Amino acid sequence: MKLLRYGDAGAEKPGMLDADGTLRDLSGVVGDIAGDVLSDAGLAKLRALDPASLPVVDGNPRLGPCVGNIGKFCCIGLNYSDHAAETGAAIPEHPILFMKANSAIVGPNDMVMKPRGSTHTDWEVELGVIIGKAAKYVSKEDALDYVAGYCVINDVSERHYQTQLTGQWTKGKSCDTFGPAGPWLVTRDEVEDPQELAMYLDVNGKRMQTGNTNTMIFTVAEIIEHLSGLFTLQPGDVISTGTPPGVGMGIKPEPVYLEKGDVMELGIDGLGVQRQEVGQDA
């Protein structure tokens, strides 16, 4: 299934795409794509529906973040061997974890706003993992059973804030609009292997990132094992699992960063496409 949320920011309604790509309203069935709806039982209830029985959503409404009421927004840094190489960083021994503020979360096609005075805003296409049930001390062999589904994430980053403002990466990762998520939550039964997904990101029509989740240093299962050994992962938590090479910071001989008016388009096989125009906070 492809589950989504549509409507004005802060007032999104739950929906699903049927086999023909028609948007269907789920408001009469569930309150949101969140919480218990993400459990195996909750997803089974939605899977049993006849999509043709659901109201068609007319027009072309705004798509919101594909998960509502996200608890923790966990992100993994330097998790692609080829991305680590382009930045000159050593391969980490354990997953590098930082948190992204939930106030960064926006819809997949909403504007991305450069913070006031920013000169180093960068792009990062990433595979997002949505947790479906509480996970504590989970083994990697069982880890994928705790996944509700997957989505596209753009882990937008302000590199000066990230590396020069003293402290953790969170400063450069948590600016408003720096967490586009969606367009859909694709349930795990439709993703045969999360470690064989091609991904890309274009800026102004130019291909900047080309990658595949098969170059991850730590797999989705290994990440869930590691994080669930540190704290309980709850339904609706999102894990952004790292980015392949081609970020602006890694361009030689000089890095390239986003400017007002630039357009990012990014996607992952089977998980849909995002498109964001870049704006500038006054």
Side-chain angles (χ1 to χ4, degrees):
M1 290 183 296
K2 293 180 175 67
L3 304 176
L4 53 86
R5 301 167 71 248
Y6 70 95
D8 294 339
E12 291 93 347
K13 296 179 179 180
M16 71 161 55
L17 286 186
D18 67 18
D20 297 324
T22 301
L23 176 54
R24 302 278 180 168
D25 180 53
L26 282 172
S27 298
V29 182
V30 296
D32 202 353
I33 307 300
D36 290 344
V37 173
L38 301 171
S39 69
D40 289 346
L43 294 176
K45 177 182 176 181
L46 297 183
R47 200 172 286 113
L49 296 172
D50 176 7
S53 69
L54 300 170
V56 172
V57 179
D58 293 326
N60 186 29
R62 168 190 175 268
L63 296 182
C66 59
V67 184
N69 195 29
I70 292 173
K72 295 186 286 295
F73 196 163
C74 306
C75 300
I76 306 300
L78 293 175
N79 193 36
Y80 282 69
S81 56
D82 35 10
H83 173 53
E86 78 171 340
T87 63
I91 299 297
E93 295 183 19
H94 308 284
I96 296 173
L97 172 67
F98 61 92
M99 309 299 279
K100 207 173 182 84
N102 286 14
S103 52
I105 300 167
V106 290
N109 304 314
D110 290 344
M111 285 193 72
V112 165
M113 302 299 293
K114 292 177 60 179
R116 185 179 298 175
S118 166
T119 58
H120 292 71
T121 298
D122 204 348
W123 55 83
E124 294 191 8
V125 59
E126 305 203 0
L127 172 66
V129 179
I130 298 101
I131 298 298
K133 58 183 178 182
K136 178 71 170 177
Y137 300 127
V138 171
S139 71
K140 63 183 180 182
E141 289 78 16
D142 297 330
L144 297 187
D145 293 341
Y146 291 78
V147 173
Y150 302 91
C151 70
V152 182
I153 299 284
N154 189 354
D155 176 22
V156 185
S157 309
E158 214 298 342
R159 303 301 189 185
H160 179 78
Y161 296 3
Q162 179 183 351
T163 62
Q164 302 299 317
L165 293 191
T166 308
Q168 299 177 341
W169 290 2
T170 299
K171 289 182 179 180
K173 298 286 190 171
S174 292
C175 303
D176 293 351
T177 74
F178 274 22
W184 320 303
L185 180 163
V186 179
T187 52
R188 72 172 188 265
D189 59 300
E190 293 196 7
V191 178
E192 183 175 352
D193 184 356
Q195 302 309 145
E196 284 292 343
L197 297 174
M199 56 211 305
Y200 74 92
L201 184 144
D202 296 343
V203 178
N204 300 330
K206 180 180 179 181
R207 183 61 44 91
M208 306 304 289
Q209 288 187 275
T210 302
N212 194 293
T213 56
N214 61 22
T215 69
M216 279 186 182
I217 297 166
F218 302 101
T219 66
V220 171
E222 290 168 338
I223 291 167
I224 292 172
E225 178 183 61
H226 183 74
L227 297 187
S228 72
L230 304 174
F231 46 76
T232 302
L233 293 167
Q234 300 285 3
D237 285 352
V238 173
I239 305 169
S240 200
T241 55
T243 199
V247 299
M249 178 178 64
I251 294 175
K252 303 294 190 296
E254 293 292 333
V256 175
Y257 296 112
L258 293 166
E259 301 289 347
K260 181 180 178 180
D262 286 346
V263 174
M264 294 176 283
E265 184 171 296
L266 54 148
I268 300 178
D269 278 355
L271 303 186
V273 173
Q274 298 185 357
R275 184 185 185 278
Q276 299 110 25
E277 182 178 348
V278 178
Q280 174 75 63
D281 283 343

